[in-house]
Amino acid sequence: KRFPISDITYRVRDTALAALMAADSAHFTVRPGDPLAEVSLERESERLARHFRNNGYWGFSKNYFFFYADTSTVRDTASLIMAIENYTRNESEESAREHRKYKIGNVALIPQPGMHVRQNFLHNLNQLTPGEPYSEERINRTYDRFASIPLFSSVNMMLRENEADSTAVDCRILLQQARLQSVKVNLEGSFNSTGL
């Protein structure tokens, strides 16, 4: 049986997250009148988690979202509660920890040893500036810029929390050089029914 959503209540204890979520309300994909569907709720939690990661919340996952639906109070409808907790669906309440906003910490561009490339060229490709708010979108854009250069065979971005500043994320960009010239040898053979 399909249950249309009669109303949606948002329960977000973290005031900074609540404000960020309210500012994005025009983009909500689950609205009153829509049928209650797990796929829609998962898609919305993924979209909002990405929105939070693009606004400083490094490591924020869709698993912080909890959904509660009441289908018994008003017949044939669902009253939905969307909650953001300080623990994931796989954890207990004892594991709760405060959500934190992060900034970009140290950015290290590390070419493969022996690779000759101008530092100025690498800095022009980089889109990350220490001190600016963390943004997954900017991280991905930086990766795409490096990966699009044929000079590099692989680009590896490593993110980790800064040891001295727990609100900063350090980024190491490891670059492997591509072989620009190669020699290929092909050997072809054929035979026919006469054995030649």
Side-chain angles (χ1 to χ4, degrees), residues 20-81:
L20 196 56
M21 191 170 172
D24 188 55
S25 61
H27 300 105
F28 286 176
T29 58
V30 176
R31 299 182 179 279
D34 294 347
L36 182 65
E38 184 180 351
V39 172
S40 300
L41 299 178
E42 282 295 304
R43 201 177 300 132
E44 178 69 341
S45 62
E46 286 172 4
R47 190 194 68 77
L48 278 168
R50 186 169 51 253
H51 175 65
F52 293 146
R53 289 193 303 271
N54 284 331
N55 285 277
Y57 290 89
W58 174 55
F60 196 96
S61 124
K62 68 174 185 174
N63 291 322
Y64 286 111
F65 288 86
F66 290 75
F67 300 97
Y68 307 96
D70 176 4
T71 58
S72 60
T73 303
V74 179
R75 186 176 174 168
D76 295 335
T77 64
S79 180
L80 180 66
I81 297 174

Side-chain angles (χ1 to χ4, degrees), residues 138-156:
R138 196 173 283 261
I139 294 282
N140 291 338
R141 196 176 325 130
T142 298
Y143 175 85
D144 290 342
R145 286 172 64 101
F146 279 101
S148 68
I149 304 298
L151 177 65
F152 309 123
S153 65
S154 77
V155 178
N156 189 4

